[in-house]
Amino acid sequence: MRDNVINLRAVLPNGDVVKTGSRARKSAAGYDLARLIIGSEGTLGVITEVTLRLQKLPSHSVVAMCNFKTIKDAADVAIATMLSGIQVSRVELLDEVQIKAINMANGKNLPEVPTLMFEFIGTEAYALEQTLLVQKIATEHHGSDFVFVEEPDAKAELWKIRKEALWAGFAMKPDHEAMITDVCVPLSRLAECISTSKRLLDASPLTCLVIAHAGDGNFHTIILFDPSQEDQRKEAERLNHFMVHTALSMEGTCTGEHGVGTGKMKYLEKELGIESLRTMKRIKAALDPNNIMNPGKLIPPHVCI
Amino acid sequence: MRDNVINLRAVLPNGDVVKTGSRARKSAAGYDLARLIIGSEGTLGVITEVTLRLQKLPSHSVVAMCNFKTIKDAADVAIATMLSGIQVSRVELLDEVQIKAINMANGKNLPEVPTLMFEFIGTEAYALEQTLLVQKIATEHHGSDFVFVEEPDAKAELWKIRKEALWAGFAMKPDHEAMITDVCVPLSRLAECISTSKRLLDASPLTCLVIAHAGDGNFHTIILFDPSQEDQRKEAERLNHFMVHTALSMEGTCTGEHGVGTGKMKYLEKELGIESLRTMKRIKAALDPNNIMNPGKLIPPHVCI
C-alpha cells in the first residue's frame, strides 16, 4: 500500500498542517515526508488526507489452488514463481492446521495439507498463460490437485477460503486468545524460515495456524492460547520469540506489516541497531518535543539521544 | 528506482552508521529512514551501501515506435495506454525538434514529427498482445507508421534513437549550454501541460527539445542557449519558470527526478507549503545541528524553525 501513496496531509504535534507532495506520480522535491509519516504509528502526526495512485482493474483474472505434501514444497513453489518473473497478483500459503480450521468452520472437505492459492491478472490470454506456467512449477515440486477457475462466482467462492481463514482460526477455540506473529524474511529464505518455525509449532501443545503472504516472504502464525493459563501465554510468547529470532538471523524483520506498537519494541535494536533507533528518536524529538503524539510507542524507552 | 531500495547503510553527520532496514521485501519496523535519506541530496548523510530488490529479466520484449501529427496526440496515447492497465515497461515521447537533432547527429532520416517509443515485456505472447493493443490505441489517436521489432539487434538499434537523444540535442549547438527542465504532472494533465509548454517553446528564439518519460507524466525540455549572451540565459530561465509554474498549477512538481539542489529551492514553498519546508529543516537540524552535510542545498535559506 505505501508505494501507492502519492501525497499525504498531516497535522504535526506543533499544529502545522503539512502537505508532503504534489499529485505527480514521482517527485524529487525535498525529503520524502510521506514515507516518514507512513508507518510512524501516530508518533509524528495525524494523517488527515491521503492521495492514492489508482490502478486499473484488470480485464481478466484467474484464481488457482494447489496442494502439497510439505510446507517446504509449497513455499518453494511460491519462491520459484516469484523468481520466474511471473507477475502473480496474489500468492497465499495456508498450512494444514489452517485448512482444518476452514473445514471445521465452513463445513468444507478440503484436503488438510499445505495449500497455495494464487491470483493471476492481465488480459485473458496472459492470465491463463501465467496459470499454466505456475501449474508446471507446482508439478515440479510435488504439487497435486491443481485447480483454477475463471468464472466470477467460482473465483469469489475459492477466495472465500482465504478471506475467512482468520475467523475460522479464531473459531477453533472460541474461548482462547490469539497471538499473531508477523515476521518477513528475504524471499529466498522463506521455505527455510517456515519449515524451521513449523517444526517448533508442531511440537508445541498450543494450536498454531500458519498463513503466509508467500510472495512477499511474509508469514503469520495464529497462536491460540487460554488467557487464564499463564503457562499457555508464556508458551505463546516463547513461540513468537523463536520465530522473530529465526527471521532476524535470516536478515528478516520482526514485523512485515503489522507494526511495532509496544510489543515489538524489544526486537528493534537487534534488527536495526541502536544508531537507527537513536536517529528515529532524534526525529521524534525534533517534531514532537513535548512527546504528545502516541507517547511510549515504536521507539524503545531505553534509547537515548 | 527508490521503490527498489530495500535497505541503506549511511553515515550520519554525528558519525553514527545507520542501517535502515533488513533484507525483507517489506517491513513495518519503525520510521522509514531509507526513504528519508533517498533524495535528501547528501544533506542528511552519506550513503555507503544499498540493498536493491532484483527483478528477473523478462523472457521477451518488443520495442515499438509510432509517429503523430501533434504532441498532444502523442501524449494522449501515452495517457490512454497507461490508463488501459497495460503494463508498458517504457513509454518515451520525443518532439519533432528532438527527432531532428537525432537525424542530424546520426545521419538518420526519421520523420521529424512527435514520436512515441515503447517497450513491452513479459512472455512472448503477452509482449506481442500488449503491442497490438497499443497499436490500436495509437491508431485511434491519429498515429501513423507504427512499427515494432522483436529481434535483439533491431531492438537495440531502435532504442539507440532514444538513448542518444540527449547527446544529439547537445550536438545541435556545440558552443551552447543546456538548461534542462524536469517537471512532472499527474498523468491526466500531461497532454495539456506539454501542449501549453510547447506553444511557448515554439515561439521562443531559443532551440528547445522536448523528451518525456510520458508514462510517469514527467518531461524534460533541453533549452539550448549561448552562455555569453545574457538575454539568452534570461530567456531560458523565463521558459523554465513558465513550465514549472504551469506544472505547479496542475498539481505537479518542479522536479520529477533530478532533485532540488540550489536551482529549484525557490519553487518548493509554492509546491509544498512553508510548513513542509519547516518540517524538513527541523529534521535537518536534528540530524545535522552543525550543518556540515551539503549545507545550503535543498532547503531554501529563508525557512526558519
Side-chain angles (χ1 to χ4, degrees):
Chain A
M1 171 52 84
R2 80 174 67 192
D3 291 340
N4 290 314
V5 175
I6 291 178
N7 180 28
L8 289 182
R9 194 177 294 271
V11 182
L12 300 192
N14 69 350
D16 272 356
V17 179
V18 298
K19 173 188 167 226
T20 62
S22 66
R23 285 212 310 125
R25 275 174 169 244
K26 67 182 190 191
S27 170
Y31 302 161
D32 192 342
L33 297 180
R35 294 296 170 295
L36 180 67
I37 292 171
I38 296 170
S40 66
E41 303 184 13
T43 63
L44 297 180
V46 176
I47 296 169
T48 58
E49 198 180 301
V50 178
T51 307
L52 294 175
R53 180 186 301 184
L54 299 182
Q55 308 282 353
K56 168 93 172 163
L57 282 175
S59 63
H60 197 77
S61 71
V62 174
V63 175
M65 192 160 80
C66 185
N67 300 326
F68 295 88
K69 280 194 186 144
T70 69
I71 201 159
K72 183 176 179 307
D73 280 335
D76 279 336
V77 167
I79 296 169
T81 299
M82 297 302 288
L83 296 187
S84 73
I86 293 171
Q87 290 190 315
V88 61
S89 152
R90 296 193 254 192
V91 48
E92 299 281 311
L93 189 160
L94 302 85
D95 80 346
E96 70 283 2
V97 190
Q98 179 66 70
I99 299 288
K100 183 180 176 185
I102 291 161
N103 280 341
M104 286 168 63
N106 301 330
K108 294 216 176 254
N109 196 23
L110 299 165
E112 291 176 2
V113 293
T115 300
L116 277 181
M117 298 192 68
F118 299 92
E119 185 185 58
F120 305 101
I121 59 172
T123 58
E124 187 170 351
Y126 185 51
L128 190 62
E129 188 180 23
Q130 294 174 92
T131 306
L132 299 179
L133 286 169
V134 171
Q135 182 173 27
K136 188 164 173 289
I137 293 171
T139 306
E140 289 164 5
H141 289 83
H142 321 297
S144 61
D145 310 313
F146 190 98
V147 293
F148 64 92
V149 293
E150 298 179 84
E151 197 269 319
D153 287 349
K155 285 189 286 193
E157 185 65 26
L158 213 52
W159 264 124
K160 226 174 129 193
I161 294 172
R162 171 62 189 86
K163 285 191 173 165
E164 292 176 355
L166 182 62
W167 317 113
F170 292 161
M172 277 186 116
K173 307 243 178 189
D175 56 336
H176 278 38
E177 277 187 17
M179 187 177 289
I180 302 182
T181 71
D182 178 37
V183 299
C184 185
V185 292
L187 194 57
S188 57
R189 308 298 294 272
L190 178 68
E192 188 185 352
C193 190
I194 288 195
S195 303
T196 304
S197 301
K198 190 76 175 107
R199 277 195 294 278
L200 186 82
L201 299 171
D202 287 348
S204 169
L206 299 184
T207 299
C208 306
L209 307 85
V210 172
I211 193 149
H213 311 303
D216 292 331
N218 183 208
F219 75 95
H220 307 298
T221 307
I222 305 167
I223 306 170
L224 300 172
F225 66 97
D226 181 343
S228 69
Q229 304 285 327
E230 190 52 27
D231 60 330
Q232 290 204 13
R233 183 186 295 275
K234 281 195 173 151
E235 170 66 2
E237 278 168 5
R238 185 183 73 87
L239 298 173
N240 188 10
H241 287 328
F242 177 87
M243 280 186 278
V244 167
H245 287 291
T246 302
L248 295 183
S249 75
M250 294 177 179
E251 299 180 85
T253 175
C254 65
T255 175
E257 55 188 22
H258 292 177
V260 175
T262 54
K264 296 275 172 70
M265 287 198 297
K266 57 184 170 291
Y267 303 121
L268 289 189
E269 185 170 344
K270 184 169 180 190
E271 181 172 333
L272 300 170
I274 189 70
E275 296 83 357
S276 274
L277 300 184
R278 273 207 300 257
T279 307
M280 291 179 196
K281 187 143 183 175
R282 279 195 188 99
I283 293 168
K284 167 73 171 164
L287 302 190
D288 186 12
N290 298 319
N291 200 24
I292 59 171
M293 291 258 181
N294 222 1
K297 302 286 168 57
L298 198 142
I299 300 169
H302 72 277
V303 177
C304 298
I305 56 174
Chain B
M1 170 53 85
R2 77 174 68 193
D3 290 340
N4 290 312
V5 175
I6 291 178
N7 180 29
L8 289 181
R9 194 176 294 273
V11 182
L12 300 192
N14 69 350
D16 272 356
V17 178
V18 299
K19 173 187 167 228
T20 62
S22 67
R23 285 214 307 125
R25 274 173 172 245
K26 67 182 188 190
S27 172
Y31 302 161
D32 192 341
L33 296 180
R35 293 298 169 295
L36 180 67
I37 293 171
I38 295 170
S40 66
E41 302 183 13
T43 62
L44 296 180
V46 176
I47 296 168
T48 58
E49 199 179 300
V50 179
T51 307
L52 294 175
R53 179 187 301 184
L54 300 182
Q55 308 282 353
K56 169 91 171 165
L57 282 175
S59 62
H60 196 77
S61 70
V62 175
V63 174
M65 192 158 82
C66 186
N67 300 326
F68 296 88
K69 279 194 187 144
T70 69
I71 201 158
K72 183 175 180 307
D73 280 334
D76 278 336
V77 167
I79 295 169
T81 299
M82 296 302 288
L83 296 187
S84 74
I86 294 171
Q87 291 191 314
V88 60
S89 154
R90 295 193 254 194
V91 47
E92 298 280 310
L93 188 161
L94 302 85
D95 80 345
E96 71 282 1
V97 190
Q98 179 66 70
I99 297 288
K100 183 180 177 185
I102 290 161
N103 280 342
M104 285 167 64
N106 301 329
K108 293 215 177 255
N109 196 23
L110 300 165
E112 291 175 3
V113 292
T115 300
L116 277 181
M117 299 192 68
F118 299 93
E119 185 185 58
F120 305 101
I121 59 173
T123 58
E124 188 171 347
Y126 185 51
L128 190 61
E129 188 182 21
Q130 294 174 93
T131 307
L132 299 179
L133 286 170
V134 171
Q135 183 173 25
K136 188 164 172 289
I137 293 171
T139 306
E140 289 163 3
H141 290 83
H142 322 296
S144 62
D145 310 314
F146 191 97
V147 294
F148 65 91
V149 293
E150 298 180 83
E151 197 270 318
D153 287 348
K155 285 188 287 192
E157 185 65 25
L158 213 52
W159 264 123
K160 226 175 127 192
I161 293 172
R162 171 62 189 87
K163 285 190 173 164
E164 294 175 355
L166 182 64
W167 317 113
F170 293 160
M172 277 187 116
K173 306 245 177 185
D175 57 336
H176 278 37
E177 277 187 17
M179 188 176 291
I180 302 182
T181 71
D182 177 36
V183 300
C184 186
V185 290
L187 193 56
S188 57
R189 308 298 295 270
L190 178 67
E192 188 186 351
C193 190
I194 289 194
S195 302
T196 304
S197 301
K198 190 78 173 105
R199 277 195 293 277
L200 186 83
L201 299 171
D202 287 348
S204 169
L206 299 183
T207 300
C208 306
L209 308 85
V210 172
I211 192 151
H213 311 305
D216 292 331
N218 182 207
F219 75 94
H220 306 299
T221 306
I222 306 168
I223 307 170
L224 300 171
F225 67 97
D226 181 343
S228 69
Q229 304 286 325
E230 190 52 27
D231 59 330
Q232 291 204 11
R233 183 186 296 273
K234 282 197 173 149
E235 170 66 3
E237 278 168 4
R238 185 184 74 88
L239 298 174
N240 189 10
H241 287 327
F242 177 87
M243 281 185 279
V244 168
H245 286 292
T246 302
L248 295 184
S249 74
M250 294 177 179
E251 299 181 84
T253 175
C254 66
T255 175
E257 55 188 22
H258 292 178
V260 176
T262 54
K264 297 272 172 73
M265 287 198 296
K266 57 183 170 290
Y267 303 121
L268 290 189
E269 185 171 342
K270 182 168 181 191
E271 181 172 336
L272 300 170
I274 190 70
E275 296 84 357
S276 275
L277 299 184
R278 274 206 301 257
T279 307
M280 291 179 195
K281 187 142 184 178
R282 280 195 187 97
I283 294 169
K284 166 75 170 164
L287 301 189
D288 186 12
N290 299 319
N291 199 22
I292 60 171
M293 291 259 180
N294 221 2
K297 302 285 168 58
L298 198 142
I299 300 169
H302 73 277
V303 177
C304 298
I305 56 174

